[in-house]
Amino acid sequence: MLKSKGSTAREKQVDMIGQVPPEALLFAIEAAEAGPQISDLEDAPLLQNWFFIKREGDAIRAEGDLSGHPTISDPWVTTSPVIGFHYDFGTSKGWLRSFSRWYRLGAVCEVVGDIPGPEGAVGRALAATAARLETHRNIWREGAQRKCITP
């Protein structure tokens, strides 16, 4: 597929995940949108004291204290790009789907002086991140589908 010299912001976001096979990306997007099955989270690593990060030219990722990962023993991790998540402030639990795997979410990182719960700064940031991830999934899905049908 030939591209023009000037890439749009949309093309750059698709290119950012270009190393992921399109079929695997579509599978991960569908899984994130459907949410996890109980079996998906049984042995999933746990992220505690977590938060989202986004560096220029990169996708949204999560960082936090990690336990139970099958191949990473480092207690602090930055995940592969995040595709979707759900977090319940009432139980301080949730889930996250990255390109590569499911994670269980424990307590989100506290912000000093913040109002706890969804009405505070952390809650507003998580809501904004969820909306941005929905846009990213649509862009990634479109790019992956185009790659699947492009010879």
Side-chain angles (χ1 to χ4, degrees):
M1 176 170 67
L2 296 175
K3 289 189 178 181
S4 63
K5 283 189 176 184
S7 293
T8 67
R10 189 168 214 185
E11 288 170 336
K12 287 178 184 174
Q13 284 185 340
V14 171
D15 288 345
M16 175 176 55
I17 49 86
Q19 291 76 24
V20 177
E23 296 83 4
L25 179 57
L26 289 171
F27 174 80
I29 290 170
E30 289 172 11
E33 290 176 340
Q37 300 294 316
I38 293 172
S39 60
D40 293 326
L41 298 179
E42 285 176 345
D43 296 324
L46 174 65
L47 273 179
Q48 293 275 18
N49 195 34
W50 61 274
F51 55 93
F52 289 116
I53 62 167
K54 182 171 183 336
R55 296 181 182 105
E56 188 169 335
D58 195 7
I60 295 169
R61 296 171 185 264
E63 287 193 349
D65 298 321
L66 178 71
S67 62
H69 196 284
T71 60
I72 299 174
S73 60
D74 193 334
W76 183 259
V77 71
T78 301
T79 67
S80 61
V82 174
I83 298 188
F85 75 98
H86 173 75
Y87 186 72
D88 179 359
F89 280 96
T91 62
S92 296
K93 292 181 182 178
W95 58 262
L96 180 145
R97 174 65 195 203
S98 73
F99 280 176
S100 59
R101 68 176 49 256
W102 291 101
Y103 289 87
R104 292 176 295 131
L105 295 176
V108 67
C109 187
E110 291 184 32
V111 177
V112 176
D114 187 25
I115 300 166
E119 60 280 342
V122 173
R124 290 190 307 274
L126 292 182
T129 300
R132 181 175 240 172
L133 285 172
E134 182 176 0
T135 299
H136 286 190
R137 284 193 304 270
N138 290 332
I139 292 168
W140 293 333
R141 180 185 294 109
E142 181 181 299
Q145 288 171 337
R146 204 171 43 242
K147 286 181 181 180
C148 285
I149 60 173
T150 301

